[in-house]
Amino acid sequence: MKLLAIDSSYYKFPEGFETLEEFIDFVNNSEKRFIRMTEYLEDNCRAPYLIEEDQLTVYINILAANVISEVSNVKILSRAEYKERLREVVRKKCIDCVNFNGDPDGVDTHFERLSLDGDCWSYEKRED
């Protein structure tokens, strides 16, 4: 799925827009300062995998944006599918980590640190 990345957040393209160029043309020719958009929150996931249910309608002051880009490698998953896939990664990746709490089904402590690709910013191999 293609999304807009504005600064460090991900947004659905507003209705009627399919490319970054169309969106930028609109922004450059519009008198509107605030644009209604749907943001994907990353509270319980890590990009490029986002949760369908974690959306928020926001108004973006587009004139305050520093970077606007288009990302096409994003995968939108249901919360249940994301958790199940994260459990699989926890079982493979976290078992030998010093930060692992011992519960391979307890994914709640892994949302902010572990991606579905297995990348983890807090992974430290346990030395036995």
Side-chain angles (χ1 to χ4, degrees):
M1 173 177 222
K2 288 190 321 182
L3 295 178
L4 284 169
I6 301 176
D7 295 332
S8 61
S9 298
Y10 295 93
Y11 301 88
K12 283 184 180 179
F13 275 90
E15 196 169 311
F17 301 98
E18 294 183 19
T19 67
L20 177 60
E21 291 76 19
E22 291 173 348
F23 182 73
I24 295 298
D25 283 345
F26 167 77
V27 167
N28 286 334
N29 295 311
S30 177
E31 293 182 13
K32 291 184 177 182
R33 226 172 94 187
F34 288 89
I35 298 174
R36 183 178 185 209
M37 301 191 71
T38 302
E39 179 180 3
Y40 280 99
L41 303 175
E42 290 185 89
D43 297 341
N44 297 311
C45 60
R46 285 199 41 213
Y49 302 94
L50 302 173
I51 298 174
E52 180 67 34
E53 295 89 342
D54 290 350
Q55 296 180 27
L56 180 65
T57 299
V58 296
Y59 287 84
I60 300 290
N61 180 349
I62 205 64
L63 299 177
N66 292 312
V67 177
I68 302 174
S69 61
E70 180 179 294
V71 290
S72 59
N73 63 339
V74 178
K75 305 260 188 293
I76 307 298
L77 306 171
S78 70
R79 178 174 283 110
E81 183 180 4
Y82 190 94
K83 280 186 162 184
E84 184 54 38
R85 289 179 66 180
L86 187 59
R87 276 186 198 93
E88 292 172 16
V89 176
V90 167
R91 289 180 186 127
K92 291 176 186 170
K93 173 80 177 185
C94 302
I95 301 301
D96 65 346
C97 177
V98 297
N99 297 311
F100 183 57
N101 66 5
D103 181 8
D105 291 323
V107 296
D108 293 342
T109 60
H110 296 277
F111 288 128
E112 68 181 31
R113 62 178 86 183
L114 180 63
S115 81
L116 295 184
D117 293 332
D119 295 325
C120 180
W121 59 262
S122 70
Y123 177 80
E124 291 181 51
K125 186 168 177 63
R126 181 178 292 134
E127 294 183 27
D128 295 321

